[in-house]
Amino acid sequence: SAVISQKPSRDICQRGTSLTIQCQVDSQVTMMFWYRQQPGQSLTLIATANQGSEATYESGFVIDKFPISRPNLTFSTLTVSNMSPEDSSIYLCSVEDPPGAGALNTEAFFGQGTRLTVV
Amino acid sequence: GQNIDQPTEMTATEGAIVQINCTYQTSGFNGLFWYQQHAGEAPTFLSYNVLDGLEEKGRFSSFLSRSKGYSYLLLKELQMKDSASYLCAQPRMDSSYKLIFGSGTRLLVRP
């Protein structure tokens, strides 16, 4: 199974500033995703980080607010820009690999998350 | 959109059995996942069902009925450490590698 290192694990930031979250995987993976988990809620997909091209954003999320980099197959960053208290959430990096021959399923692996508080 | 429904909260006693239900959208079905998430931590994979029936993994089992759009997670011999949120998830119809999560069921295990 993939091992994902995500940092920082938590941060408290001033409104109007930006924070960049890093996600490092111990093996090359095809698909990397960024999720947000607001307090008391489930996970919502922000975007797919594509290697060599722009990220693909879900409805309600835009590149100016959440710029993403994916320079190679083991690393990605998510920036939360011009933060407001509404951005206080847990941000999670996730990776999946397509199943190999004969395998029934993929499995999403998650980083330990970044708990962001904006004050 | 795809709707996944599961109860918000459940309470059970240490040593007992608890069943957490999940209903999901059946069109374009491509498997059903269960994840466990302890407070302040990342979700961890528990099970994946794509065929009907019950799959057992130690104290945890997962059941699927594709015709009914229904799944459940069965936890036996509950331990205090099982207190966590349990998330039901399915792949999106437009991309099987992107997951739609239910709101999660917060399970509290009491002594």
Side-chain angles (χ1 to χ4, degrees), chain A residues 29-83:
Chain A
V29 293
T30 308
M31 316 291 285
M32 292 184 78
F33 305 96
W34 287 97
Y35 285 85
R36 180 174 74 181
Q37 188 173 28
Q38 292 177 302
Q41 299 189 24
S42 193
L43 285 76
T44 302
L45 182 64
I46 297 172
T48 304
N50 301 309
Q51 196 268 329
S53 64
E54 273 194 7
T56 307
Y57 289 84
E58 300 301 313
S59 175
F61 297 97
V62 295
I63 187 171
D64 289 346
K65 177 66 176 178
F66 297 102
I68 287 171
S69 78
R70 177 97 191 264
N72 55 53
L73 292 176
T74 64
F75 186 77
S76 177
T77 67
L78 169 75
T79 299
V80 186
S81 303
N82 188 24
M83 287 183 284

Side-chain angles (χ1 to χ4, degrees), chain B residues 8-55:
Chain B
T8 305
E9 279 188 2
M10 298 182 72
T11 302
T13 305
E14 192 176 14
I17 299 173
V18 70
Q19 178 175 313
I20 302 174
N21 297 325
C22 169
T23 57
Y24 61 89
Q25 180 158 329
T26 57
S27 58
F29 179 74
N30 194 21
L32 197 289
F33 292 86
W34 283 97
Y35 283 83
Q36 179 191 59
Q37 185 178 25
H38 285 98
E41 298 182 13
T44 55
F45 172 82
L46 289 177
S47 67
Y48 172 81
N49 293 66
V50 67
L51 302 174
D52 289 346
L54 185 69
E55 291 195 8

Side-chain angles (χ1 to χ4, degrees), chain B residues 34-107:
Chain B
W34 283 97
Y35 283 83
Q36 179 191 59
Q37 185 178 25
H38 285 98
E41 298 182 13
T44 55
F45 172 82
L46 289 177
S47 67
Y48 172 81
N49 293 66
V50 67
L51 302 174
D52 289 346
L54 185 69
E55 291 195 8
E56 299 188 52
K57 271 189 194 179
R59 293 190 299 114
F60 291 8
S61 303
S62 55
F63 172 83
L64 180 71
S65 169
R66 288 173 295 173
S67 61
K68 295 181 181 176
Y70 168 68
S71 172
Y72 66 73
L73 184 68
L74 192 70
L75 290 74
K76 303 177 188 174
E77 301 169 19
L78 280 173
Q79 302 175 10
M80 300 296 290
K81 67 178 182 180
D82 297 330
S83 293
S85 287
Y86 292 87
L87 309 175
C88 179
Q90 68 174 139
R92 277 171 33 171
M93 285 190 289
D94 62 326
S95 172
S96 59
Y97 301 120
K98 299 178 182 179
L99 298 180
I100 300 259
F101 284 85
S103 55
T105 298
R106 192 159 52 248
L107 174 66

